[in-house]
Amino acid sequence: MSSLCPCRAPLLYAFALWLFARQFADPCYPQAVPANDIEYMRMALEEAHAAAQAGEVPVGAILVIDDQVVARASNRTITDCDPSAHAEIVALRAAAKELGNYRLGGAMSHATLYVTLEPCSMCAGAVVQARIARLVYGCDDPKGGAVRSCFAVLDHPALNHRVEVTSGILLEECAATLQAFFAARR
């Protein structure tokens, strides 16, 4: 019977600690949800409802920097006749204009984007380009989500910016808003 090489023991210990810590990041182990996340996601849901009233796919987004709402938006692709006018893009554009800088997250601020639906690849790329520190979204998009459902754009190792992601905030409400919208169109 061979014994463990003493030089590998620290590596195994570190790996065991990593595995133990990882279980708490797993969605199977629910985390406490900050009250602000729920409040801001409710605002995003208001934007989604406004989009639905306008005949747009009901997706809403809120951009918060240092606990201040900087921009609110909803999908406007039909209204603006613009395929890039997703709620996230509209919110990022409004915030950049308001602040006078396309880089919304910097050393002095912490930008969080709240969106009711998992961002697509275009929106996920814009989140990286705007240097958003944190993305919070409601429900997954199994047909086009680029955070984890179809792609993992934000996790690509070549990117020079990392985004903290929280999903599932008001998941049922966000999903129900989309389901009701599409059910009414069938």
Side-chain angles (χ1 to χ4, degrees):
M1 184 173 185
S2 67
S3 63
L4 179 65
C5 175
C7 64
R8 292 195 182 163
L11 289 175
L12 287 175
Y13 180 72
F15 180 71
L17 283 177
W18 176 81
L19 277 176
F20 179 76
R22 179 137 172 79
Q23 74 177 337
F24 297 107
D26 191 297
C28 295
Y29 297 88
Q31 303 292 310
V33 176
N36 283 355
D37 283 359
I38 293 171
E39 175 188 347
Y40 293 132
M41 189 59 75
R42 287 201 193 287
M43 289 180 190
L45 273 166
E46 290 172 10
E47 292 296 321
H49 293 299
Q53 291 296 318
E56 299 276 359
V57 174
V59 178
I62 301 290
L63 187 83
V64 176
I65 298 179
D66 298 327
D67 283 328
Q68 297 294 318
V69 175
V70 177
R72 302 172 66 117
S74 58
N75 270 2
R76 299 185 51 84
T77 55
I78 297 167
T79 304
D80 293 353
C81 197
D82 178 358
S84 70
H86 291 193
E88 302 94 310
I89 300 293
V90 175
L92 292 173
R93 285 178 181 159
K97 193 170 189 173
E98 173 76 21
L99 299 173
N101 192 340
Y102 74 100
R103 296 276 167 95
L104 302 172
M108 302 304 289
S109 64
H110 187 281
T112 302
L113 180 64
Y114 293 86
V115 62
T116 56
L117 179 66
E118 178 183 8
C120 69
S121 57
M122 173 184 67
C123 295
V127 164
V128 171
Q129 293 302 314
R131 300 301 191 260
I132 300 300
R134 185 168 177 247
L135 170 68
V136 179
Y137 70 88
C139 59
D140 290 339
D141 182 358
K143 295 183 179 181
V147 175
R148 73 175 187 188
S149 296
C150 295
F151 307 104
V153 170
L154 301 179
D155 294 333
H156 196 283
L159 292 176
N160 63 348
H161 176 70
R162 296 285 169 244
V163 180
E164 177 188 339
V165 177
T166 303
S167 63
I169 304 298
L170 299 182
L171 184 146
E172 291 82 12
E173 293 94 324
C174 293
T177 301
L178 286 159
Q179 290 167 348
F181 176 80
F182 287 113
R185 297 214 162 0
R186 290 187 184 119

Coordinates of all heavy atoms in Angstrom, one line a residue, residues 5 13 15 17 38 45-47 68 70 77 79-80 88 90 99 103 116 121 123 140 164:
C5 N 2.1 11.2 -1.1 CA 3.3 12.0 -1.2 C 3.1 13.3 -0.4 O 2.1 14.0 -0.6 CB 3.7 12.3 -2.6 SG 5.1 13.4 -2.8
Y13 N -5.8 19.1 0.1 CA -6.5 19.9 1.1 C -7.2 21.1 0.4 O -8.3 21.4 0.7 CB -5.5 20.3 2.2 CG -6.2 21.1 3.3 CD1 -7.1 20.5 4.2 CD2 -6.0 22.5 3.3 CE1 -7.7 21.3 5.1 CE2 -6.6 23.2 4.3 CZ -7.5 22.6 5.2 OH -8.1 23.4 6.2
F15 N -8.0 21.4 -2.7 CA -9.1 20.9 -3.6 C -10.3 20.5 -2.7 O -11.5 20.8 -3.1 CB -8.6 19.7 -4.4 CG -9.7 19.1 -5.3 CD1 -10.0 19.8 -6.4 CD2 -10.3 17.9 -5.0 CE1 -11.0 19.2 -7.3 CE2 -11.2 17.3 -5.8 CZ -11.6 18.0 -7.0
L17 N -11.2 21.8 0.1 CA -11.8 23.1 0.5 C -12.6 23.7 -0.6 O -13.7 24.2 -0.4 CB -10.8 24.1 1.0 CG -10.2 23.8 2.4 CD1 -9.1 24.8 2.8 CD2 -11.3 23.9 3.5
I38 N -34.7 42.0 -4.9 CA -36.1 41.8 -5.2 C -36.7 43.2 -5.5 O -37.5 43.2 -6.5 CB -36.8 41.2 -3.9 CG1 -36.2 39.8 -3.7 CG2 -38.3 41.3 -4.0 CD1 -36.6 39.1 -2.5
L45 N -39.7 44.3 -13.7 CA -41.0 43.7 -14.0 C -42.0 44.7 -14.5 O -42.8 44.5 -15.4 CB -41.5 42.8 -12.9 CG -41.0 41.4 -12.9 CD1 -41.4 40.7 -11.6 CD2 -41.6 40.6 -14.0
E46 N -42.0 45.9 -13.8 CA -42.8 47.0 -14.2 C -42.5 47.4 -15.7 O -43.4 47.7 -16.5 CB -42.7 48.2 -13.3 CG -43.2 48.0 -11.9 CD -42.8 49.1 -11.0 OE1 -42.3 50.2 -11.4 OE2 -43.1 49.0 -9.7
E47 N -41.2 47.5 -16.0 CA -40.8 47.8 -17.3 C -41.3 46.7 -18.3 O -41.7 47.0 -19.4 CB -39.3 48.0 -17.4 CG -38.8 49.2 -16.7 CD -39.3 50.5 -17.2 OE1 -39.4 50.6 -18.5 OE2 -39.6 51.4 -16.5
Q68 N -28.3 53.6 -6.8 CA -29.1 54.6 -7.4 C -29.5 54.1 -8.8 O -28.7 53.6 -9.6 CB -28.2 55.9 -7.7 CG -27.8 56.5 -6.4 CD -29.0 57.1 -5.6 OE1 -29.9 57.6 -6.1 NE2 -28.9 56.8 -4.3
V70 N -30.1 54.3 -12.4 CA -29.5 55.3 -13.4 C -30.3 55.2 -14.7 O -30.5 56.2 -15.4 CB -28.0 54.9 -13.7 CG1 -27.5 55.8 -14.8 CG2 -27.2 55.1 -12.4
T77 N -37.9 46.8 -29.7 CA -37.5 46.4 -31.0 C -38.5 46.7 -32.1 O -38.2 47.2 -33.2 CB -37.2 44.9 -31.1 OG1 -38.3 44.2 -30.6 CG2 -35.9 44.5 -30.3
T79 N -41.2 49.0 -31.6 CA -41.4 50.4 -31.6 C -40.4 51.2 -32.3 O -40.7 52.1 -33.1 CB -41.5 50.9 -30.1 OG1 -42.5 50.1 -29.4 CG2 -41.8 52.3 -30.0
D80 N -39.1 50.8 -32.1 CA -38.0 51.6 -32.7 C -37.6 51.0 -34.1 O -36.7 51.5 -34.7 CB -36.8 51.6 -31.8 CG -37.0 52.4 -30.6 OD1 -38.1 53.1 -30.4 OD2 -36.1 52.3 -29.7
E88 N -31.9 45.5 -22.3 CA -30.6 45.6 -21.7 C -29.8 46.7 -22.5 O -29.2 47.6 -21.9 CB -29.8 44.3 -21.7 CG -30.4 43.2 -21.0 CD -31.3 42.3 -21.9 OE1 -32.1 42.8 -22.7 OE2 -31.1 41.1 -21.9
V90 N -31.0 49.1 -24.4 CA -31.6 50.4 -24.2 C -31.2 51.0 -22.9 O -30.9 52.2 -22.8 CB -33.2 50.3 -24.4 CG1 -33.8 51.7 -24.1 CG2 -33.6 49.9 -25.8
L99 N -24.4 59.3 -17.9 CA -23.1 59.4 -17.2 C -22.0 60.0 -18.0 O -20.9 60.3 -17.5 CB -22.7 58.1 -16.6 CG -23.7 57.5 -15.6 CD1 -23.3 56.1 -15.2 CD2 -23.8 58.3 -14.4
R103 N -18.3 53.2 -20.3 CA -17.8 52.2 -19.3 C -18.5 52.6 -18.0 O -18.2 53.6 -17.4 CB -16.3 52.3 -19.1 CG -15.5 51.9 -20.3 CD -15.3 50.4 -20.4 NE -14.8 49.9 -21.6 CZ -13.6 49.6 -21.9 NH1 -12.6 49.9 -21.0 NH2 -13.2 49.2 -23.0
T116 N -35.3 40.9 -16.5 CA -36.2 39.9 -16.2 C -36.0 38.6 -16.9 O -36.4 37.5 -16.5 CB -37.7 40.4 -16.6 OG1 -37.7 40.7 -18.0 CG2 -38.1 41.5 -15.7
S121 N -26.8 36.7 -26.6 CA -25.4 36.9 -26.8 C -25.1 38.4 -27.1 O -24.0 38.9 -26.6 CB -24.9 36.0 -27.9 OG -25.6 36.3 -29.1
C123 N -26.6 41.1 -25.9 CA -26.7 41.8 -24.6 C -25.6 41.4 -23.6 O -25.1 42.2 -22.9 CB -28.1 41.6 -24.0 SG -29.4 42.3 -25.0
D140 N -34.4 31.9 -17.0 CA -33.5 31.5 -18.0 C -34.3 31.6 -19.4 O -35.5 31.6 -19.4 CB -33.1 30.0 -17.8 CG -32.2 29.8 -16.7 OD1 -31.5 30.8 -16.2 OD2 -32.1 28.7 -16.1
E164 N -20.2 39.1 -12.1 CA -20.8 38.3 -11.1 C -22.3 38.1 -11.6 O -22.9 39.1 -12.0 CB -20.8 39.0 -9.8 CG -21.5 38.2 -8.7 CD -21.6 39.1 -7.4 OE1 -20.8 40.0 -7.2 OE2 -22.5 38.7 -6.6

